Amino acid sequence: MNTDPRSALAALIAALERHYEAAAASRGDDDPALDAATEQLSTAFDAYDDALFDAYDVATPLIVFDADDDEDEDDDFDDLDDFDDDEDDDYEDEDDDYEEDDRD
């Protein structure tokens, strides 16, 4: 698909305005109008980014994250719960040895 970057930019600006209006009128996180505006904004941004790259080999410095990306990031932190606290004790022992050697 070869879209004109100027047309894609106009669509992105319009999607930003719709998103702002939906955010300003939002009644909470579960507002379907805000969800729809968010989805449209994401789609318009992707179209603009693609059109810009196709026409000029330039990408925007922005990344769109979706709800699935947020869940993946949370999973990364779950791995920290498995961290073995005994490893900390090893470092404390080394610090104690260093302080004893320093007193000599």
Side-chain angles (χ1 to χ4, degrees), residues 60-73:
T60 62
L62 307 172
I63 299 172
V64 175
F65 293 102
D66 61 13
D68 293 337
D69 292 334
D70 290 341
E71 290 171 8
D72 291 343
E73 288 178 13

Side-chain angles (χ1 to χ4, degrees), residues 1-16 40-62 64:
M1 179 169 96
N2 215 356
T3 305
D4 173 46
R6 177 61 70 180
S7 299
L9 176 60
L12 175 58
I13 292 169
L16 281 165
Q40 291 170 356
L41 178 56
S42 178
T43 300
F45 171 77
D46 286 339
Y48 172 68
D49 196 41
D50 290 344
L52 193 65
F53 189 79
D54 289 345
Y56 305 112
D57 286 337
V58 174
T60 62
L62 307 172
V64 175

Side-chain angles (χ1 to χ4, degrees), residues 11-26 28-46 64-65:
L12 175 58
I13 292 169
L16 281 165
E17 290 174 350
R18 283 190 302 270
H19 185 268
Y20 170 78
E21 292 166 2
S26 177
D29 292 338
D30 296 329
D31 188 340
L34 183 56
D35 290 343
T38 299
E39 182 62 33
Q40 291 170 356
L41 178 56
S42 178
T43 300
F45 171 77
D46 286 339
V64 175
F65 293 102

Side-chain angles (χ1 to χ4, degrees), residues 86-101:
D86 291 339
E87 291 180 17
D88 286 342
D89 294 339
D90 292 341
Y91 292 114
E92 290 173 9
D93 291 342
E94 289 175 10
D95 290 342
D96 291 342
D97 291 342
Y98 178 75
E99 289 175 11
E100 289 174 8
D101 291 341

